[in-house]
Amino acid sequence: MANDVTIWYDREDDYLEVLFEQTEGHFRATDNDAIMEKVDTDGHVIGFSILNVSQTKDQAPLSVTLRDVAD
């Protein structure tokens, strides 16, 4: 797994994106309408995004489990 994490926040759209790897992938829905997982072609989580992130401050913390794509 790469050591670099890319964090991007768009204040105007209140959108946060965190990427653990800079690789091809796509976003898929989660149980929370505001949160999307970014997965690679093998289905490993390589990032996530949160829409309206400032409105989540009263919710439970987001938990992400990372798996090394080499496994």
Side-chain angles (χ1 to χ4, degrees):
M1 183 180 303
N3 292 329
D4 295 330
V5 174
T6 303
I7 300 172
W8 183 73
Y9 177 64
D10 181 337
R11 185 182 312 256
E12 185 175 318
D13 291 326
D14 198 18
Y15 175 81
L16 174 72
E17 186 172 294
V18 178
L19 298 176
F20 309 118
E21 292 190 32
Q22 298 295 323
T23 187
E24 187 174 329
H26 65 277
F27 283 98
R28 69 179 177 196
T30 66
D31 293 338
N32 185 322
D33 291 339
I35 300 172
M36 301 284 284
E37 295 176 324
K38 186 169 187 183
V39 295
D40 65 12
T41 54
D42 294 323
H44 298 105
V45 176
I46 57 173
F48 63 91
S49 67
I50 305 174
L51 185 59
N52 300 319
V53 68
S54 66
Q55 295 176 20
T56 63
K57 64 184 175 185
D58 295 329
Q59 297 178 9
L62 172 66
S63 176
V64 177
T65 302
L66 302 178
R67 286 172 262 155
D68 192 339
V69 292
D71 288 346

